[in-house]
Amino acid sequence: MKKVLFCLITVFVCVGLFAQPQSVIEVSTDVSGTLYLQDNEIAVLWANGAYTIPIERPGTYLLRLQLFSGMAKVTSVSINTQSVTKVDFSTIAESYLIGSIGPAGGIIFYDKGVFSDGWRYLEAAPIETEFRRIEWGRGINVPGTGIIIGSGRQNTELIVARLTQAKKTGRAAQLCAALNFGEFADWFLPSRDELDLMYKNLSLKGLGGFRDTYWSSSQNRRKDAHVQDFGNKSGRQFTNNKFDARSVRAIRSF
């Protein structure tokens, strides 16, 4: 009898040890979308819906609600003890993710994290807008162009003004500035560093259909400007004579 009682006590103790409350994340949302945990799809949620995610071990977990509009709501949750953690996506601002479709139908390739100077994101135009075998501008000197992220728009304006003055047409910056796609007409030729972001954040991930050497809006010297090779995962940046024929992909900021 004592042996049976001992076995029963042992069983109850073991059950008690292994039946501790499990950590869970309780998700609620005011908008519809697909819920991801650590980039793994979990469920499709509808507006004013809820979902409970069991968590097996402590750690920091990335939660993303991918909205059907193309935007997303993203947050991270730290689980340290067995508990219930609530995540209300209605309190989390919407944002675009790198590689997602932008408002003009292009691809988002940069998010600086905050809205400043009139923009936060950079969006690359899709492959169907790409121009091939285009000159930068033979004999056109445009001092004052920048290479950094955020300088492409001003570079383009400077180049277009100089090309117009010289009565040139059909050059790289002009084609970008004249592009009207996705009901947006605010496209421009990317700067050297913006072009590099397109290579790293899109081309290397197989996005955007890039395969050539592309012009930037950054002049190097009077006779040449910066380009970048997107073919064969090269990513090499160098300079070309402005009369060389290269590909052109426009971008926009918003």
Side-chain angles (χ1 to χ4, degrees):
M1 185 68 178
K2 290 182 178 179
K3 187 174 181 181
V4 172
L5 183 60
F6 175 78
C7 291
L8 289 173
I9 293 172
T10 302
V11 169
F12 287 133
V13 170
C14 291
V15 169
L17 289 173
F18 289 101
Q20 295 295 322
Q22 188 179 39
S23 295
V24 297
I25 301 175
E26 291 185 354
V27 174
S28 59
T29 176
D30 60 333
V31 291
S32 302
T34 304
L35 181 64
Y36 290 82
L37 176 70
Q38 305 289 75
D39 287 330
N40 295 314
E41 182 178 335
I42 292 181
V44 174
L45 302 183
W46 302 105
N48 301 315
Y51 193 82
T52 298
I53 308 171
I55 301 297
E56 296 180 356
R57 58 181 63 88
T60 299
Y61 294 86
L62 183 70
L63 279 175
R64 170 164 57 95
L65 185 64
Q66 185 66 52
L67 309 184
F68 300 139
S69 66
M71 300 187 75
K73 295 189 174 192
V74 182
T75 188
S76 61
V77 178
S78 294
I79 305 295
N80 298 318
T81 59
Q82 292 172 329
S83 61
V84 176
T85 302
K86 296 182 182 293
V87 174
D88 182 1
F89 275 108
S90 68
T91 65
I92 299 171
E94 297 179 3
S95 61
Y96 284 98
L97 299 180
I98 303 300
S100 65
I101 302 301
I107 311 174
I108 304 298
F109 68 94
Y110 179 66
D111 174 8
K112 65 178 175 179
V114 295
F115 185 84
S116 61
D117 299 324
W119 67 282
R120 171 175 172 175
Y121 301 98
L122 292 178
E123 175 182 11
I127 188 172
E128 57 263 35
T129 69
E130 186 166 295
F131 303 99
R132 297 176 184 274
R133 299 190 61 78
I134 303 298
E135 280 190 21
W136 197 95
R138 183 193 306 259
I140 300 298
N141 182 34
V142 189
T145 61
I147 62 173
I148 65 171
I149 298 166
S151 62
R153 178 183 296 281
Q154 184 177 9
N155 289 350
T156 301
E157 291 172 355
L158 291 172
I159 298 166
V160 169
R162 183 68 186 90
L163 287 167
T164 301
Q165 184 181 29
K167 297 182 180 180
K168 304 288 186 180
T169 60
R171 304 310 194 262
Q174 290 173 316
L175 293 173
C176 291
L179 179 65
N180 190 325
F181 184 85
E183 299 184 357
F184 289 87
D186 55 353
W187 301 93
F188 55 89
L189 185 64
S191 69
R192 188 198 69 177
D193 290 355
E194 291 165 349
L195 192 62
D196 191 47
L197 283 174
M198 293 165 67
Y199 174 74
K200 292 175 178 176
N201 293 339
L202 296 183
S203 184
L204 282 181
K205 298 176 182 179
L207 301 174
F210 300 95
R211 58 181 180 271
D212 297 319
T213 297
Y214 294 84
W215 281 120
S216 80
S217 58
S218 303
Q219 175 173 294
N220 180 48
R221 295 173 299 183
R222 175 183 292 269
K223 293 184 178 181
D224 57 11
H226 292 276
V227 296
Q228 187 161 358
D229 182 5
F230 282 47
N232 301 315
K233 295 186 177 180
S234 165
R236 185 170 69 96
Q237 293 183 315
F238 54 103
T239 59
N240 262 171
N241 289 322
K242 292 177 180 178
F243 56 76
D244 285 342
R246 296 297 186 183
S247 291
V248 176
R249 186 75 69 94
I251 69 171
R252 62 182 296 269
S253 59
F254 66 96

